[in-house]
Amino acid sequence: MARSVILGTGSAAPGRVVTNLDLEARLDTSDEWITQRTGIRERRMVEDGGKWSDFMVPACRAALEMAAVAPEELDLIIAGTLTPDMFMPSGGCTLQALLGAKKATGFDVAAACSGFVYGLTIADRFLRADPGMKILVAGGEVISQRLDWEDRTTAVLFGDGGGAAVLTGGEDGERGILSSRIYSDGSLWDLLYLPGGGSQTPYGEGFAKKDNTIQMRGNELFKVAVKSMARACRDALEEAGCGAEDVDLVIPHQANLRIIQTLAGLMKVPMEKVYVNIHKYGNTSAGTIPLALDEAVREGRVQRGSLVLLPVFGGGLTWGAVLLRW
Ligand code: COA
């Protein structure tokens, strides 16, 4: 059966490293609390004046280079992000212009942390219909500008960064995306949300700091995240006729090491088969999976024939999983 194949990956993050000790200096928190409760040791953040495309363009270029695809060959650019350079144009259009992808159509997917997995799923559906297409799927955020630096319950969790993958279709055989599942439950929106800037609370007079920063109910989100990702993994594996024991590497959304460990326990997958880089980047929202996938590929943890599972969850709520044979 013809499948959608990832030809190349790339990733990038801003150069400024912010450690837990740096956060101790500005918040009522500690390196010990952050490390024990989340697994995060440091994260990257843009400098003042820094923007999304500063690191997303290099990430996309690296993916194109690995794929040996020129920007002019791209037909479609799907960007998973809630923090593009501007509210309009979309991040997809910004990437199209900056990469020089002249014939590509660009758009964004608003699925918060699930943006990259949603994007892969959409790309897969396009490629099933038109296997000759070349599609760039990107995911990444500048979340640091959307944090309340007086709220220790959210400020310590996130970081900036992202990655990308170039896909095409039509390869016969085992290789490629075997199954992909995406889900939403909008009734759970208030577990994780960014209230301002939409039509309900537009920018302008009376716009409060709370309106421009991430609001979260962490405890509840933790439980829903684990259950929903486990369900999505089960569904994706079932659809492909695989079991969890067949998976060579799980590359999960990097929101919290304890969430990752609990998910691995539920799936009965040993942690040696789970890729973790949250200690270096924190939660980069839609950036976590493409960043981790790219690192895993470049480190040789993902090799030709590897069965790779990508589970995710995020604001919306949204969640899903992609299963692919590398
Ligand atoms: N530093 C020090 N103490 C902190 C703190 C921080 N950064 N943040 C919270 N605390 C305190 C709380 O105030 C609370 O104190 P109290 O017991 O005196 O009331 C205590 O630590 C425990 O807080 P709690 O919220 O129960 O901790 P937790 O074990 O649930 O961990 C999260 C909190 C946020 C790390 C965890 O719930 C989580 O990761 N949830 C999911 C979040 C997520 O994934 N978000 C992104 C989704 S894409």
Side-chain angles (χ1 to χ4, degrees):
M1 183 184 162
R3 300 191 192 282
S4 313
V5 173
I6 296 183
L7 300 173
T9 59
S11 62
R16 182 159 74 104
V17 177
V18 178
T19 64
N20 291 348
L21 292 177
D22 295 330
L23 295 183
E24 271 188 17
R26 64 192 287 187
L27 279 167
D28 179 16
T29 190
S30 66
D31 175 39
E32 191 191 358
W33 191 97
I34 302 170
T35 307
Q36 281 181 2
R37 301 280 179 136
T38 73
I40 301 166
R41 293 186 180 276
E42 59 187 41
R43 69 287 290 143
R44 304 295 190 86
M45 289 188 187
V46 294
E47 304 282 355
D48 287 348
K51 58 187 187 305
W52 181 80
S53 61
D54 293 344
F55 56 88
M56 289 307 293
V57 168
C60 293
R61 287 213 176 103
L64 286 162
E65 193 180 322
M66 189 193 285
V69 169
E72 301 79 21
E73 294 177 69
L74 289 173
D75 299 289
L76 193 60
I77 298 175
I78 306 173
T81 186
L82 51 95
T83 56
D85 287 4
M86 295 187 200
F87 209 66
M88 182 172 68
S90 68
C93 285
T94 301
L95 291 178
Q96 189 237 355
L98 295 177
L99 292 169
K102 289 192 174 58
K103 70 169 179 172
T105 304
F107 64 86
D108 289 359
V109 177
C113 301
S114 307
F116 183 75
V117 163
Y118 267 53
L120 281 185
T121 302
I122 295 166
D124 182 47
R125 301 305 187 266
F126 268 99
L127 290 170
R128 285 187 202 189
D130 187 355
M133 291 179 80
K134 293 204 166 65
I135 305 182
L136 177 73
V137 180
E141 312 285 3
V142 180
I143 284 284
S144 60
Q145 296 166 346
R146 298 286 180 270
L147 296 174
D148 177 352
W149 286 102
E150 283 161 23
D151 176 8
R152 66 180 182 173
T153 66
T154 51
V156 302
L157 302 178
F158 295 92
D160 303 336
V166 177
L167 293 94
T168 193
E171 272 205 27
D172 283 325
E174 282 279 290
R175 203 170 164 230
I177 294 181
L178 307 185
S179 59
S180 66
R181 295 300 194 99
I182 51 174
Y183 307 87
S184 321
D185 184 347
S187 71
L188 297 176
W189 66 272
D190 59 347
L191 296 189
L192 182 63
Y193 62 106
L194 186 52
S199 56
Q200 181 172 308
T201 313
Y203 295 112
E205 255 177 69
F207 195 76
K209 183 169 73 175
K210 172 180 155 296
D211 295 325
N212 196 34
T213 53
I214 287 180
Q215 309 296 315
M216 185 180 77
R217 284 162 44 200
N219 279 132
E220 289 158 78
L221 189 55
F222 190 112
K223 290 172 207 146
V224 180
V226 171
K227 275 193 209 145
S228 53
M229 280 198 291
R231 218 165 43 232
C233 288
R234 189 197 58 206
D235 291 350
L237 286 164
E238 232 172 63
E239 187 185 326
C242 299
E245 67 284 0
D246 300 323
V247 175
D248 294 300
L249 194 64
V250 182
I251 305 180
H253 177 42
Q254 314 275 314
N256 181 324
L257 180 59
R258 288 187 300 138
I259 292 180
I260 295 172
Q261 288 165 335
T262 311
L263 174 68
L266 277 180
M267 293 178 64
K268 299 192 172 55
V269 171
M271 280 305 286
E272 302 82 72
K273 289 186 168 188
V274 180
Y275 193 83
V276 175
N277 66 0
I278 192 172
H279 52 287
K280 293 193 287 183
Y281 299 108
N283 180 351
T284 57
S285 181
T288 68
I289 289 185
L291 245 173
L293 175 63
D294 182 50
E295 290 197 346
V297 168
R298 287 175 196 270
E299 286 165 14
R301 293 277 308 268
V302 174
Q303 298 195 341
R304 190 71 185 250
S306 299
L307 189 63
V308 181
L309 183 61
L310 313 174
V312 76
F313 76 97
L317 290 184
T318 56
W319 66 96
V322 167
L323 182 71
L324 58 92
R325 177 82 61 192
W326 194 256

